[in-house]
Amino acid sequence: MNTLIIKLGATGDVVRTTPLLEKLEGKITWITEAKNIPLLEGLEKNLRSLSWERRSTVAGEPYDLVINLEDTQESGGFVGTLKYDRLFGAFLDADGKLVYTDDSRGWFDLSLISRFGKQEADRLKLKNRRSYQDLIFEGAGFWFDGEKYLLPEAARTNLCGDVAISPKAGAVWPMKNWAYYEELKCELEKTGIVVNVLPERATLREHLGDVQNHRILVSGDSLPMHFALGTGTRCITLFNCTSPWEIYDYGVQHQITSPLLAEFFFKRGMDRRATSAVSLEEVFAAVMDARVADEISIDEALTH
């Protein structure tokens, strides 16, 4: 079987798509953003990864299955140049409109290109209680059974401690950024806990290493969260404006959902009420509970 995956970014979305590799047999080609290549290289012997800019080098190959998880005109147009037996995902119809295959409706009905329009798509997304993996797997003809993220070996870094805090979730979703990270750091340090704020790194593998070097991560719905889920690192994740239900917790995540989630759901503007709705006390308590649970897990591992 010869499969082509088109999933460019965001990087966290690329990471959460990697469980699909466990289900696909034969040769796999993954087209992604150039910055994500280091996360895909060497994951599977049958996997070839290349940047979007080099997509023409594989366009002439025949594919048994093409999976296009992007929702852009450019990616849809590229799909139209390919030879394949089956397509899952987005493509351009005869009128040049970006649409999607019926078997991918579970995911794309909730997307920017939803056949129902954005307002209804957001309503359906808020109502949805299935994880991203579950939706994608079922549509593609597989059964999701907790298959884990595939990640490369992390780069060694000197940043380590008890709790890592990742206060920034990027410019696209400013309301993901909780208002009280600095206060949380101060309160945790008063108890003797070693807390580090994750710095920007030159490479994604260094960033992965930083997350892995800590026992607990506190962040929003972001790439560090996906790194924690993929490495089995306990994480406290705040959801101010995006769906907690799409995230499969792998048994290591404590999700804190804003009481104002419905009001600010999938909105990309900025309102301080969204970033301050979850209290400092709730997150502090969650971190302390996670620390106790982590210590219990370590003790149980040592006794066995």
Side-chain angles (χ1 to χ4, degrees):
M1 185 171 180
N2 192 14
T3 302
L4 174 67
I5 299 173
I6 304 170
K7 184 58 197 167
L8 308 182
T11 302
D13 291 340
V14 171
V15 171
R16 70 174 179 173
T17 305
T18 58
L20 260 182
L21 298 175
E22 299 283 3
K23 296 294 187 178
L24 298 170
E25 298 179 351
K27 182 180 178 182
I28 306 169
T29 301
W30 190 319
I31 298 176
T32 189
E33 290 183 5
K35 66 178 181 180
N36 297 327
I37 296 293
L39 293 180
L40 297 176
E41 286 180 328
L43 290 185
E44 297 283 359
K45 292 181 179 179
N46 61 337
L47 174 64
R48 167 181 57 175
S49 55
L50 69 157
S51 67
W52 175 249
E53 290 74 19
R54 296 184 57 219
R55 62 191 180 279
S56 62
T57 62
V58 297
E61 296 184 22
Y63 295 98
D64 298 290
L65 173 63
V66 171
I67 300 174
N68 179 25
L69 297 173
E70 291 299 314
D71 56 7
T72 65
Q73 288 284 132
E74 195 171 15
S75 66
F78 176 63
V79 167
T81 69
L82 301 174
K83 299 177 182 179
Y84 54 82
D85 293 331
R86 180 191 171 199
L87 170 67
F88 173 88
F91 65 100
L92 297 184
D93 67 11
D95 297 322
K97 180 182 177 181
L98 193 61
V99 293
Y100 46 91
T101 57
D102 189 60
D103 57 6
S104 67
R105 68 185 184 278
W107 175 248
F108 282 102
D109 278 354
L110 316 180
S111 75
L112 289 172
I113 62 171
S114 172
R115 56 183 170 164
F116 301 113
K118 185 180 184 306
Q119 184 175 352
E120 178 63 9
D122 287 350
R123 189 190 72 80
L124 292 172
K125 199 173 185 72
L126 180 61
K127 186 178 178 181
N128 171 58
R129 293 298 182 269
R130 298 174 64 189
S131 70
Y132 168 82
Q133 292 95 321
D134 189 23
L135 293 168
I136 296 298
F137 272 52
E138 182 184 69
F142 305 119
W143 176 262
F144 178 63
D145 193 27
E147 284 79 6
K148 295 182 179 180
Y149 294 173
L150 298 182
L151 289 170
E153 183 177 351
R156 292 191 177 186
T157 72
N158 294 323
L159 188 72
C160 59
D162 299 312
V163 176
I165 290 178
S166 181
K168 296 182 180 179
V172 175
W173 299 98
M175 287 191 292
K176 284 186 179 182
N177 302 318
W178 186 50
Y180 304 119
Y181 282 116
E182 289 186 13
E183 290 85 347
L184 176 67
K185 183 175 186 294
C186 291
E187 291 302 311
L188 291 174
E189 287 176 335
K190 288 178 183 178
T191 70
I193 294 174
V194 177
V195 183
N196 292 308
V197 176
L198 295 182
E200 293 186 10
R201 290 293 193 180
T203 70
L204 289 172
R205 290 193 179 192
E206 288 177 284
H207 196 29
L208 175 62
D210 284 343
V211 172
Q212 194 170 279
N213 289 345
H214 292 80
R215 296 169 61 186
I216 301 167
L217 170 76
V218 184
S219 73
D221 176 7
S222 61
L223 176 59
M225 175 199 74
H226 287 293
F227 280 165
L229 292 171
T231 57
T233 303
R234 291 186 184 277
C235 50
I236 313 298
T237 310
L238 290 85
F239 293 88
N240 296 330
C241 58
T242 56
S243 172
W245 305 286
E246 282 180 15
I247 306 301
Y248 187 76
D249 65 18
Y250 290 100
V252 297
Q253 183 182 54
H254 177 87
Q255 299 180 343
I256 298 179
T257 302
S258 168
L260 301 181
L261 179 66
E263 180 178 349
F264 295 105
F265 190 73
F266 247 61
K267 294 181 180 178
R268 301 192 183 193
M270 177 59 191
D271 189 315
R272 180 172 169 78
R273 290 191 304 120
T275 62
S276 59
V278 174
S279 71
L280 172 63
E281 292 75 17
E282 182 176 2
V283 180
F284 178 85
V287 174
M288 300 306 289
D289 288 345
R291 191 161 181 259
V292 171
D294 188 63
E295 290 172 350
I296 292 173
S297 296
I298 293 174
D299 290 340
E300 290 178 346
L302 291 175
T303 57
H304 288 83

